[in-house]
């Protein structure tokens, strides 16, 4: 028979403890010594373990993006006549995003650890396709050999990376960062995140839950401990477009209406800086016109024949660099032309094959390029004209394909908050 008096005593103790607390009701950071519903003391032989939690740890390279309501969709004339991104109002939860594109040095670090921790077969599959620079009627041969590995290109965006490879990188980065965070919280040393990635790859790179322990909960990498980060991942198309708009810079304090909209990730209808000492200089790396990638010697416009330093050009109002130009960027979403009609208006995201099935598109008959393995990319590149710099424009490519004009950056949920 249940010892009712024992649990009543715990309840009284817990209630008294809660009533005596001068700091107000319990919070995630200060849950109290006793349960506010059962009165049972935490972190005892009988009670539940409640780890110390001071908020989500800082993720290397990430910038906080405050969410909210916005209007997604193309603000420019639909030159391509695709009608695939009509304007609609949505709300996005806050999230984190890399302040800059993943660079060559970051990919070389990835290859370094993959070679140590994984099979040679997977290492070879992680190599970028450097032949994306090769052109039959252009002398781009030096980029094939030097762009990825030459020290001068260290902080240029990695290219030649497919959507699938970018996802594998996100999985590895999550494991490696959480290995370090878990090691910092454990004086006994590292918890073996390199091997963690190896085990994930053996089963399924995307199958491991966010932050879950790989050793049955005995290790330090566990969601409940709060000492690790959620998954690094590719941003959703909505997140990417919202972050590129950076309309927080146009918002007046206390005004709940969004009265301004941007064609580009900066103010105005032009692609040149309108203010200060850098007036007249281009705000992004793009192709000005046929055959004009950089301007004339002595007065270069965007200053970059191909890609450029990932911290070049002014950041937008969220502190994000090159959300227009330099390289296009992969996002999570599968491509469908009518996504704006189908997706939810809260945290919209187009999943694989859900609604609008690929069978409706005649790819076998060469009447369409759409199936369940094409992904959206955004942002414009060094080889694109200014039209594609607008956040609302969108294109797609096969998830296993790569070019010299597409890179990526990572994102992460804002765990433990509804803001």
């Amino acid at each position: 028979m249940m010892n009712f008096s024992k649990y009543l005593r715990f309840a009284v103790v817990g209630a008294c403890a809660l009533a005596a607390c001068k700091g107000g009701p319990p919070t995630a950071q200060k849950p109290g010594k006793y349960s506010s519903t059962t009165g049972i003391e935490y972190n005892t032989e009988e009670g539940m373990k409640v780890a110390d939690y001071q908020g989500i740890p800082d993720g290397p390279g990430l910038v906080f993006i405050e969410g909210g309501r916005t209007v997604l969709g193309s603000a420019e004339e639909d030159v391509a006549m695709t009608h695939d991104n009509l304007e609609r109002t949505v709300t996005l939860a806050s999230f984190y995003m890399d302040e800059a594109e993943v660079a060559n040095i970051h990919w070389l670090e990835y290859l370094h650890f993959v070679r140590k921790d994984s099979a040679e077969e997977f290492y070879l599959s992680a190599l970028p396709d450097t032949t994306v620079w090769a052109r039959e009627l252009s002398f781009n041969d030096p980029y094939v050999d030097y762009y990825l590995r030459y020290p001068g290109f260290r902080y240029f965006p990695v290219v030649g990376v497919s959507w699938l490879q970018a996802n594998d990188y996100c999985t590895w980065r999550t494991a490696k960062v959480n290995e370090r965070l878990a090691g910092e919280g454990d004086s006994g040393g590292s918890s073996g995140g390199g091997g963690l990635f190896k085990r994930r790859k053996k089963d399924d790179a995307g199958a491991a839950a966010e932050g879950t322990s790989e050793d049955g909960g005995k290790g330090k990498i566990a969601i409940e401990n709060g000492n690790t980060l959620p998954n690094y991942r590719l941003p959703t198309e909505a997140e990417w477009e919202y972050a590129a708009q950076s309309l927080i810079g146009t918002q007046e304090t206390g005004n709940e209406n969004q009265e301004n909209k941007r064609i580009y990730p900066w103010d105005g209808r032009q692609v040149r800086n309108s203010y200060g000492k850098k007036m007249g200089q281009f705000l992004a790396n793009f192709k000005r016109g046929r055959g004009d990638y950089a301007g004339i010697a002595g007065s270069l416009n965007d200053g970059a024949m191909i890609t450029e330093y990932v911290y070049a050009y002014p950041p937008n109002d969220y502190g994000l660099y090159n959300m227009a130009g330099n390289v296009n960027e992969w996002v999570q979403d599968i491509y469908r032309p009518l996504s704006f009609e189908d997706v939810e208006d809260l945290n919209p995201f187009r999943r694989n094959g859900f609604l609008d099935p690929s069978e409706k598109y005649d790819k076998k008959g060469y009447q369409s390029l759409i199936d369940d393995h094409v992904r959206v990319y955004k942002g414009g590149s060094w080889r694109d004209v200014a039209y594609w710099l607008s956040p609302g424009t969108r294109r797609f490519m096969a998830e296993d394909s790569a070019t010299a004009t597409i890179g990526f950056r990572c994102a992460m949920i804002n765990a433990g908050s509804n803001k």
Side-chain angles (χ1 to χ4, degrees), residues 202-409:
K202 185 177 179 181
D203 298 324
D204 181 357
E210 292 188 354
T212 54
S213 172
E214 293 289 320
D215 57 3
K218 298 178 182 178
K220 292 290 181 179
I221 302 178
I223 292 176
E224 293 83 358
N225 286 340
N227 64 346
T228 54
L229 289 167
N231 285 348
Y232 284 89
R233 55 175 174 79
L234 293 177
T236 67
E237 181 179 5
E239 287 174 336
W240 194 99
E241 189 172 329
Y242 177 84
Q245 290 177 346
S246 62
L247 292 177
I248 192 170
T250 69
Q251 192 65 20
E252 297 179 11
T253 304
N255 184 359
E256 195 174 292
N257 296 318
Q258 199 117 66
E259 297 172 352
N260 297 292
K261 191 170 175 70
R262 287 172 164 167
I263 295 176
Y264 305 112
W266 51 80
D267 291 334
R269 301 186 63 86
Q270 66 284 337
V271 292
R272 295 180 185 269
N273 198 325
S274 303
Y275 310 99
K277 295 181 179 179
K278 296 185 177 181
M279 182 182 297
Q281 295 186 13
F282 278 81
L283 293 166
N285 176 17
F286 65 104
K287 185 177 180 180
R288 189 175 179 182
R290 186 181 296 275
D292 185 358
Y293 291 85
I296 61 174
S299 185
L300 297 177
N301 50 48
D302 66 35
M305 281 69 170
I306 55 166
T307 56
E308 177 59 289
Y309 178 52
V310 296
Y311 294 102
Y313 312 102
N316 72 8
D317 289 320
Y318 276 123
L320 303 172
Y321 291 84
N322 288 297
M323 293 298 284
N326 212 23
V327 289
N328 291 285
E329 298 177 16
W330 289 114
V331 297
Q332 275 200 55
D333 298 50
I334 194 169
Y335 176 80
R336 287 294 187 272
L338 300 182
S339 287
F340 64 91
E341 290 186 350
D342 299 329
V343 294
E344 298 278 356
D345 57 5
L346 174 63
N347 298 322
F349 172 53
R350 168 65 82 175
R351 297 182 187 277
N352 292 24
F354 183 74
L355 295 178
D356 199 7
S358 61
E359 289 77 15
K360 291 184 177 181
Y361 298 90
D362 185 15
K363 190 168 184 177
K364 292 182 178 179
Y366 302 101
Q367 302 300 310
S368 174
L369 296 174
I370 299 173
D371 62 16
D372 287 341
H373 300 284
V374 293
R375 303 289 173 168
V376 178
Y377 64 90
K378 310 268 288 182
S381 76
W382 59 273
R383 200 171 183 174
D384 291 316
V385 295
Y387 172 77
W388 298 107
L389 305 183
S390 182
T393 57
R394 63 199 301 249
R395 287 174 286 181
F396 64 92
M397 193 170 70
E399 62 186 21
D400 60 354
S401 297
T403 77
T405 62
I406 301 181
F408 73 102
R409 72 182 75 209

